[in-house]
Amino acid sequence: MTILLYDLVGRDESRPFSPHCWKATMALAHKGLDISTAPTRFLEVPTIEGGASKTVPVIRDGDKVVIDSFAIALYLDEAYPDRPTLFGGEGGKAMARFIERWSQLTIHPYVTTAAIVDLHTMQDEENAAYFRQSREQRLGRRLEDVVAARDAGLTAFRASLEPLRSMLAYQPFIGGAAPLFADYIVFGALQWARIATPYQLLENSDVVAQWFCRCLDLHGGLGRKVAAAA
Ligand SMILES: N[C@@H](CCC(=O)N[C@@H](CS)C(=O)NCC(=O)O)C(=O)O
């Protein structure tokens, strides 16, 4: 059976950009499950599945609707135990939660700083107005004032990735020899940046950039199906 993924898009349906939806996309591919996607714009999110969620990703698998990227990965491992694991067991689930919090609190704020104006530009008129209003309220500043800080923050952002960078001296993926959901969590954050903005967050020589390229190659180059922002 095909699993339906509600995937966040802007004006261009072929450029899904949400970090959390990318986590779900990679998790579904890791499991080798067939999917169809429902391109969803910000203002459509509250209407999907009868108003089941305020955010995407949301999946429908037969009768089952699952909300939240982490919950989706947990569900997929439980519902499809014969497919490749996303967590490698209970300890893996707990540690993936640490990676999720680290990514959300360390990587997401800087991607927001770097890409917020480009993310606004990706939306159609109605959704751009919603995006500006909701984000300016959340951030307490105009989008243009947020992005003005990106050059000043770049060195500190790159330094903040040192735990990941130094780990990559031991193993090619966060999951070890092969990727797990923890890899897709961090991948989602950097893929969000890659699709939204041409601003270069990582130097090409950075081992984190090399790990990210390995993730782009996974599952038949799924991540590369959307070109980097130019
Ligand atoms: N914890 C949730 C977060 C999902 C989330 O924040 N999704 C954003 C898109 S990246 C969203 O749907 N936002 C709706 C809005 O801002 O109106 C998850 O991991 O799925």
Side-chain angles (χ1 to χ4, degrees):
M1 200 188 328
T2 301
I3 296 179
L4 177 64
L5 168 69
Y6 293 90
D7 202 359
L8 192 65
V9 297
R11 195 183 302 112
D12 183 348
E13 281 197 12
S14 68
R15 297 184 65 73
F17 59 86
S18 151
H20 306 290
C21 292
W22 271 103
K23 293 178 204 173
T25 299
M26 295 297 275
L28 287 156
H30 184 98
K31 285 287 191 187
L33 294 162
D34 290 334
I35 69 161
S36 61
T37 56
T40 308
R41 293 182 174 80
F42 278 112
L43 291 170
E44 293 160 354
V45 172
T47 70
I48 60 179
E49 293 294 345
S53 178
K54 289 189 168 65
T55 59
V56 282
V58 171
I59 62 163
R60 166 174 282 286
D61 185 13
D63 291 342
K64 180 93 182 153
V65 173
V66 189
I67 293 157
D68 183 89
S69 56
F70 205 99
I72 289 170
L74 291 172
Y75 164 77
L76 294 176
D77 247 16
E78 210 169 293
Y80 300 95
D82 299 337
R83 309 280 184 123
T85 179
L86 282 160
F87 293 101
E90 291 305 312
K93 290 179 192 172
M95 282 186 270
R97 188 60 88 178
F98 170 77
I99 299 290
E100 190 220 34
R101 291 294 85 204
W102 179 75
S103 177
Q104 195 70 36
L105 298 172
T106 305
I107 306 181
H108 280 236
Y110 187 73
V111 176
T112 300
T113 299
I116 196 106
V117 167
D118 298 298
L119 285 161
H120 176 257
T121 307
M122 289 174 80
Q123 311 308 315
D124 65 20
E125 207 177 316
E126 261 191 304
N127 284 278
Y130 162 76
F131 186 83
R132 177 178 288 282
Q133 194 276 331
S134 58
R135 271 46 184 182
E136 289 187 347
Q137 188 176 32
R138 187 185 296 171
L139 297 163
R141 275 176 300 163
R142 281 181 54 75
L143 303 184
E144 289 72 11
D145 295 336
V146 173
V147 90
R150 71 180 175 185
D151 287 346
L154 184 59
T155 303
F157 168 69
R158 288 178 177 171
S160 76
L161 300 178
E162 195 52 33
L164 174 58
R165 192 173 292 119
S166 61
M167 182 219 70
L168 288 166
Y170 294 86
Q171 57 201 50
F173 291 100
I174 302 172
L180 290 173
F181 188 60
D183 289 90
Y184 305 144
I185 291 170
V186 181
F187 170 79
L190 296 179
Q191 175 77 328
W192 175 37
R194 173 182 171 271
I195 291 168
T197 181
Y199 191 72
Q200 193 172 352
L201 271 72
L202 301 174
E203 287 177 296
N204 294 335
S205 58
D206 190 336
V207 294
V208 175
Q210 290 156 15
W211 160 84
F212 181 65
C213 285
R214 284 197 291 284
C215 291
L216 285 171
D217 290 338
L218 294 169
H219 314 306
L222 182 59
R224 292 189 199 281
K225 293 199 171 135
V226 181

